[in-house]
Structures are given as C-alpha cells and as structure tokens.
Amino acid sequence: MAVLADHYGRRFPYLRLSVTDACNFSCSYCLPNGYRAIPGLPPTLGAGEIERLLRAFAGVGMRKVRLTGGEPSLRKDLTTIIGLAAATPGVEKVALTTNGCLLRKRRAEWQAAGLTAINVSVDALDRERFARITGHDRLDDILRGLDEALVAGMPAVKVNAVLLRGLNDDQWPAWLDYLRDRSLSVRFIELMRTGTNLDYFQKHHYRADSLERLLQEAGWAAVPRATDAGPAREYTHPDYAGRIGIIAPYSRDFCAGCNRLRVTAAAIAVRWAG
Ligand code: SF4
C-alpha cells in the first residue's frame, strides 16, 4: 500500500481538516475583531467532496482525522461529515476541535455518528477572564458540556488553553483543582508570533518551558508519545485523574514530533477551482 511520507521519512497517519474558516467567537489572539468572510473565495467543500478526500487520504495511510475550523460546529452538516469520516475504510479515530458553543446541544448526536475524541478551547476557568479573552460569556455552559461528555463515555476529551501572560497565567491553581478528579487532558499551547500580532505577542507571550519547569517541580512526569499523537508533550501525576499536555512551538523538537497533515477545505476548493 502507498504511504504518505515526506523527505524526512515522517509518515502521516493523522489529518487535520479545516471544514470552515468561519467562527462565532472573537478570541483576542485569533480574531480580535470577529470573523469576516474574505470576499471572492469559492465555497468550502461539500460533505460529498470531503468524503472523497478522506477516502483518498485513508488510502495512503491516514488513520485519524481531526475536524477543525474556524468553528466546525457552525456547519449545519457537521454530524453528516463526522458520520462520513467514521465510515471511511481505514479511519479509526474521528476527532473534533471546537470552541464548545454547541457542545451541550450536539455532543450526543456527534458521538452517535462516530466521534471518538473532542478538544474544546477553554482559555481560563474564571468566567470574567474567559469572556474577556473570547468575547463570549459561555464558560459555565461549556464546562457543563465537558462534564457531560465525560459522563457519556466520550473516549478522549481534551481542553485547549493558550498561555497568555497577564490574561490567564494566574489560573494554574484553578487548573490543578479542575484536573484532580476529571479524566481528561488539558493542553497548554504557547502563543505563536504571526505577521500581524507582534504587539499582542510581545505583551502576552508566556513561555511554555516556564510552565513545564513548574510541572516537573510539582512532580508531574512526562509520558511516551503515541504514534498518532499530536505535538503535545504529555505529563501525568499520581494524585490527579487528568493529564497535562504542553504544545511548545518554539521548542527544539516540535517539528520532529509532528505527524499531522493540515488541509483546509477552502484551500482545496481554491486549487480545484483553479
Ligand atoms: S474559537 Fe478558535 S477559531 Fe474562533 S476565534 Fe477563538 S481561537 Fe479563533
């Protein structure tokens, strides 16, 4: 069987597929002024086109697909897409990254359609901080949705939190409380500098290795990576049900550990249209 690999010998069993660039939140590090559609772009791929694409990637070794955005749950056919992904021969895991806005309303149908993993963005456990970062006062609802996903037996539940100096770097004790009895993983993600966020980056960048040092001093131990894992370095602690993952894009081994392909349905539509 043909296997997708790059010149460095890395294989790609894990596909990240962005199914929309639209989002209804306005996170200060991502879309501070809210989402605005770029005029002139062709529409994103339909469910049938996504099905063909997934079959093609599965044919060259893809075993796990993550549906992302923007905010993927803004697509009315998301449950259909999850079902198509789960039914693709060779695909073993279907994951979703979401801001959680429809988690309580739709999680049961996503799970019934074949969703096996969910990542929800929660940048702070304090309601006012969360609203300040995301532009939406939805923290309580999202946390309830996460607890419901755990009770309902979702195989993998993760929380993503971007590390932001001055905005959420005092939330560490609250995260430890949160993780004590919950069997989920919180991923702390180091803010990346882009061509447009220099001021924000200089003000709010918090180094992931500072947090990693805190973790190690507090007795958290690194665990070995799974072959289809993302780029996080994972830590566990015997006193906590939950895990902590660190995503540090500026660390030396970040790219070496990555085995994900990123594809946007919009970008493919552009190429096909051209
Ligand atoms: S929820 Fe995600 S896509 Fe939407 S603004 Fe926040 S970080 Fe960006």
Side-chain angles (χ1 to χ4, degrees):
M1 184 187 82
V3 171
L4 194 60
D6 68 7
H7 293 307
Y8 301 99
R10 294 178 300 184
R11 295 184 170 192
F12 298 95
Y14 180 2
L15 174 73
R16 279 181 78 96
L17 180 66
S18 170
V19 295
T20 178
D21 60 350
C23 187
N24 54 342
F25 277 20
S26 46
C27 300
S28 59
Y29 53 85
C30 177
L31 294 171
N33 301 314
Y35 171 74
R36 287 193 185 85
I38 300 171
L41 278 184
T44 52
L45 297 184
E49 292 164 313
I50 289 174
E51 181 184 21
R52 282 172 56 202
L53 187 73
L54 293 174
R55 284 176 179 267
F57 276 108
V60 289
M62 185 264 290
R63 296 292 170 260
K64 173 178 175 181
V65 59
R66 174 173 301 284
L67 304 172
T68 71
E71 172 46 42
S73 68
L74 296 186
R75 275 188 76 137
K76 291 195 167 32
D77 58 357
L78 179 64
T79 305
T80 302
I81 294 170
I82 291 169
L84 291 170
T88 302
V91 169
E92 294 158 4
K93 296 180 184 173
V94 181
L96 175 72
T97 295
T98 172
N99 63 22
C101 63
L102 290 178
L103 184 60
R104 296 197 73 200
K105 205 166 173 184
R106 299 264 182 262
R107 192 262 318 143
E109 69 183 61
W110 296 338
Q111 203 166 342
L115 191 70
T116 59
I118 195 156
N119 283 37
V120 182
S121 301
V122 181
D123 292 319
L125 287 173
D126 173 89
R127 186 176 159 189
E128 181 274 326
R129 298 294 178 82
F130 180 91
R132 190 170 154 206
I133 295 168
T134 64
H136 286 259
D137 183 9
R138 301 286 290 271
L139 178 66
D140 294 348
D141 189 51
I142 292 167
L143 291 181
R144 273 206 292 278
L146 278 163
D147 283 341
E148 287 167 4
L150 288 172
V151 169
M154 177 72 73
V157 180
K158 293 176 185 163
V159 170
N160 294 339
V162 177
L163 293 166
L164 298 168
R165 182 152 50 94
L167 291 176
N168 65 7
D169 55 345
D170 61 347
Q171 297 284 292
W172 180 234
W175 281 116
L176 288 181
D177 277 354
Y178 185 76
L179 284 168
R180 193 172 292 280
D181 299 316
R182 288 180 175 84
S183 181
L184 51 71
S185 177
V186 177
R187 307 303 182 91
F188 293 105
I189 304 167
E190 188 172 355
L191 182 68
M192 283 187 77
R193 183 174 155 183
T194 67
T196 54
N197 77 348
L198 181 59
D199 288 349
Y200 188 94
F201 182 86
Q202 285 176 338
K203 197 166 169 197
H204 296 299
H205 178 238
Y206 181 97
R207 289 187 62 97
D209 54 9
S210 310
L211 179 58
E212 252 175 317
R213 268 198 301 279
L214 279 181
L215 275 176
Q216 287 158 0
E217 284 164 15
W220 289 77
V223 294
R225 288 169 49 82
T227 52
D228 65 349
R233 288 196 289 266
E234 281 234 305
Y235 288 83
T236 58
H237 191 295
D239 297 340
Y240 293 85
R243 293 176 162 219
I244 289 178
I246 302 287
I247 299 182
Y250 298 108
S251 72
R252 244 181 331 147
D253 59 348
F254 180 69
C255 290
C258 185
N259 54 8
R260 298 177 299 174
L261 270 183
R262 292 166 193 252
V263 174
T264 77
I268 287 174
V270 170
R271 233 173 285 141
W272 282 4

